[in-house]
Amino acid sequence: LIHDAVFSIVFAALIHDADHQGISNVQLAKEQPEMAKHYRNKSIAEQNSLDIAWDMLMAERFTPLRKYIFGNEAELLRF
């Protein structure tokens, strides 16, 4: 459990503001209504950051890193 918590904190710190466009969620919803709709107008920028970072982590080039972070498939799925 400690490993999960530490990784969660580090991952959150690393991905915070990934693809942030320097505008508020309200403005982002006005400028990109499809993105706002996708995230149901809730924490649009933050959810987008998480999706981008997770997609990157799941890319084939990061397989060795995932194997190091997650000991097995069950740990990956739990996270």
Side-chain angles (χ1 to χ4, degrees):
L1 184 60
I2 298 293
H3 174 268
D4 291 349
V6 170
F7 176 70
S8 297
I9 291 167
V10 171
F11 188 69
L14 289 172
I15 69 163
H16 180 75
D17 288 341
D19 195 45
H20 196 284
Q21 299 176 22
I23 57 177
S24 69
N25 281 319
V26 172
Q27 187 63 33
L28 188 57
K30 290 177 185 175
E31 293 181 15
Q32 296 192 35
E34 288 302 314
M35 183 187 293
K37 182 179 176 184
H38 178 74
Y39 295 119
R40 298 184 183 125
N41 287 311
K42 294 184 181 178
S43 305
I44 303 163
E46 294 78 10
Q47 290 191 73
N48 185 54
S49 292
L50 180 58
D51 282 348
I52 288 171
W54 188 256
D55 288 346
M56 287 179 67
L57 182 61
M58 293 300 111
E60 186 176 336
R61 68 183 179 181
F62 292 113
T63 299
L65 177 62
R66 285 194 312 275
K67 287 181 179 179
Y68 179 78
I69 295 169
F70 308 109
N72 55 49
E73 187 74 16
E75 287 183 8
L76 172 63
L77 293 174
R78 184 177 68 231
F79 183 74

